[in-house]
């Protein structure tokens, strides 16, 4: 693997077997684990991003499996729960307790659409519970977006950046060790935003999905080698295919992808 100081490699954990039953799901999750265990120290200090929806699909058994997964890897990896939560503050506190208290994960994705008050709550809870590993990634310009009446959401990415930057400066003033805690989700296919002056000036961390199965160009990784922001590129189906391919194919996929990082 290359050593881009500002770029992190993230493995998305999206178990989605063709056979929609819990036994197949559990097998898919354990196959993901087998790959992680096989590579051992070669992947230490990297990032894992379980998608909560796949685990929720199987109720309490799925959540129990997610707890097992996070407990197994949260010392060696930074773990982002991809949930895209948000709600009024009292309800959000329960979501955050699930992430940082029950699961003891380090990071999450969150929607900005209930405003700055809820974002501030998420940022503060993350800092309190996850410290320097902590990240809260606010949806900003995702790899899929509306072309209809809701397109205004995507068009306002600059305001999302500015709001996050101002909150960071207000909440964590004189706490440089927490500067990277606040981040935004920007699809890897949104190069105009990734290389915008607005993002660079913000110094916000970036979670960038969309490589592989979603079609973003792998060259974006090397293009970001000198980017001033921390950028975490996420790959899931491009390695694991939801758990629907052999272990050997997963290993081959991971070997092929790591050359970009």
């Amino acid at each position: 693997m290359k050593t881009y100081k500002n770029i992190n490699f993230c493995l998305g954990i999206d178990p989605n077997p063709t056979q929609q039953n819990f036994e197949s799901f559990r097998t898919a999750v354990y196959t993901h684990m087998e790959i992680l265990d096989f590579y051992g120290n070669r992947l230490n200090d990297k990032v894992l991003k379980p998608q909560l929806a796949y685990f929720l699909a199987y109720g309490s058994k799925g959540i129990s499996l997610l707890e097992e997964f996070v407990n197994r890897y949260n010392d060696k990896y930074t773990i982002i729960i991809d949930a895209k939560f948000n709600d009024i503050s009292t309800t959000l506190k329960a979501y955050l307790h699930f992430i940082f208290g029950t699961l003891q994960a380090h990071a999450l994705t969150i929607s900005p659409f209930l405003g700055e008050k809820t974002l501030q709550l998420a940022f503060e809870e993350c800092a309190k519970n996850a410290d320097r590993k902590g990240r809260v990634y606010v949806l900003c310009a995702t790899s899929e977006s509306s072309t209809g009446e809701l397109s205004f959401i995507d068009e306002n990415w600059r305001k999302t950046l500015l709001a996050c930057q101002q909150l960071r400066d207000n909440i964590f003033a004189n706490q440089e060790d927490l500067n990277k805690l606040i981040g935004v989700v920007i699809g890897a296919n949104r190069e105009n935003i990734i290389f915008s002056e607005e993002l660079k000036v913000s110094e916000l961390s970036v979670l960038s999905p969309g490589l592989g199965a979603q079609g973003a160009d792998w060259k974006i990784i090397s293009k970001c080698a000198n980017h001033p922001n921390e950028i975490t590129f996420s790959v899931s189906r491009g390695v694991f295919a939801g758990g629907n391919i052999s272990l050997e194919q997963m290993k081959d996929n991971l070997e092929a992808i790591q050359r970009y990082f």
Side-chain angles (χ1 to χ4, degrees), residues 11-159:
L11 280 170
I13 309 299
D14 299 349
N16 187 25
T18 303
Q19 298 295 320
Q20 296 288 301
N21 58 70
F22 180 69
E23 291 304 317
S24 296
F25 178 74
R26 181 168 58 187
T27 298
V29 172
Y30 285 154
T31 301
H32 284 64
M33 290 182 179
E34 193 168 341
I35 291 293
L36 296 175
D37 293 342
F38 176 81
Y39 279 92
N41 293 336
R42 291 176 60 186
L43 291 174
N44 282 2
D45 300 321
K46 301 300 186 292
V47 184
L48 302 179
K49 183 172 68 67
Q51 168 51 257
L52 178 63
Y54 293 115
F55 294 88
L56 281 176
Y58 296 94
S60 60
K61 292 185 292 186
I63 294 301
S64 179
L65 202 52
L66 177 61
E67 289 179 312
E68 178 184 343
F69 182 91
V70 174
N71 183 63
R72 185 166 178 165
Y73 296 111
N74 67 354
D75 286 338
K76 293 183 177 180
Y77 297 86
T78 296
I79 298 183
I80 305 167
I81 302 300
D82 193 0
K84 303 175 179 70
F85 285 143
N86 211 338
D87 211 317
I88 61 172
S89 297
T90 51
T91 309
L92 179 60
K93 286 179 181 178
Y95 282 129
L96 296 173
H97 179 73
F98 172 69
I99 298 293
F100 299 121
T102 302
L103 292 179
Q104 296 187 13
H106 309 107
L108 77 157
T109 56
I110 191 169
S111 163
F113 302 122
L114 275 83
E116 287 88 346
K117 183 179 179 181
T118 57
L119 294 183
Q120 179 170 344
L121 174 60
F123 300 153
E124 290 174 341
E125 286 299 306
C126 182
K128 186 189 306 180
N129 289 280
D131 200 32
R132 290 171 179 80
K133 266 191 172 182
R135 298 289 185 275
V136 177
Y137 294 105
V138 180
L139 299 181
C140 181
T142 57
S143 52
E144 294 185 19
S145 57
S146 173
T147 57
E149 294 298 329
L150 294 177
S151 61
F152 74 92
I153 295 172
D154 188 64
E155 292 164 0
N156 281 308
W157 60 268
R158 291 180 179 84
K159 292 184 178 180

